[in-house]
Amino acid sequence: MGSGVRFRAFGDLMRLACLYLTNIVTGFCLMALEILGGRLLQPVFGSSIDVWAAIISVFILSLSIGYVLGGRIADRSKSNLALATVIIAAGAFYCLMTWYAIRFTHSLGEDIQTARWGVLVGALVLFLPPSVLLGSVSPMLVKLVFTNAAYVGRTTGTLYAVGSLGNVLGVLITDYILLEQYELTTNLLAMGVALGLLGILHLFIRVEAGTTAVAPGVAA
């Protein structure tokens, strides 16, 4: 009996570690993209207040859409399979952005490039898809982390706090370290690969909603 309780406690610990790590990594990459977004748009649109107003607006809009989308997906999901798919898709956008982002902004007509609202068009096309996908992660994590109605407030609060930590790290590390040491495309590609690997991890480590994590092969 004692060993069974310890095994279950260890499983719960591993479950939370996996989900909190997911929250940190996705939060990091989301905010890092917001910082990198300024560099992506700068060659064509400059770095004025209009550029950052467009970037911030797009990311807030993306989170709003992502929360609704993620909530609907979470209601229909009983495991982390959908979460894995969403994270892998976001990683693919990060990797592809290294190829099409600069090309897209330079391909915009002069009327759009010089218009004050033009930067909003560029930000929407470039950042809306990946940030919507990452924004949808939080509601899915809440569904997977939640195990006891008595602790719903504590569980949700801790999850949001961990995600916010990832956001802060994404902003500061990207600004102070990554952009100083590595090229823009290298950062995007590295984050895309990290998200892809994280998504693949969720394919192999199955987490059922309201239960403990299941080791590879055991679920089958």
Side-chain angles (χ1 to χ4, degrees), residues 16 32 66 77 87 98 102 106 149 166 172 174 189 198 205 214-215 217-218:
L16 290 176
S77 302
I87 295 174
T98 63
I102 301 297
H106 280 90
L172 296 179
T174 301
L189 185 60
L198 179 63
I205 301 178
V214 180
V218 175

Side-chain angles (χ1 to χ4, degrees), residues 81-175:
L81 182 59
L83 176 65
T85 303
V86 166
I87 295 174
I88 291 173
F93 270 106
Y94 273 66
C95 292
L96 291 173
M97 208 179 298
T98 63
W99 173 75
Y100 72 78
I102 301 297
R103 290 177 173 84
F104 168 74
T105 55
H106 280 90
S107 69
L108 294 173
E110 184 177 353
D111 290 341
I112 297 179
Q113 291 180 350
T114 56
R116 190 174 184 182
W117 50 265
V119 65
L120 185 59
V121 174
L124 280 168
V125 172
L126 292 180
F127 309 133
L128 189 69
S131 53
V132 164
L133 289 170
L134 291 182
S136 68
V137 167
S138 291
M140 287 187 275
L141 287 176
V142 170
K143 173 74 173 290
L144 294 170
V145 170
F146 178 75
T147 57
N148 190 328
Y151 301 107
V152 60
R154 181 186 305 177
T155 301
T156 305
T158 302
L159 186 67
Y160 286 161
V162 171
S164 297
L165 175 61
N167 294 154
V168 172
L169 292 175
V171 171
L172 296 179
I173 292 178
T174 301
D175 184 36

Side-chain angles (χ1 to χ4, degrees), residues 53-76:
I55 292 174
I56 294 171
S57 298
V58 167
F59 273 82
I60 293 175
L61 175 64
S62 300
L63 288 174
S64 299
I65 298 172
Y67 291 155
V68 174
L69 177 63
R72 292 180 179 272
I73 295 174
D75 286 342
R76 299 179 180 180

Side-chain angles (χ1 to χ4, degrees), residues 5 7 115 142 149 160 186 203 214:
V5 172
F7 179 79
V142 170
Y160 286 161
T186 301
L203 291 178
V214 180

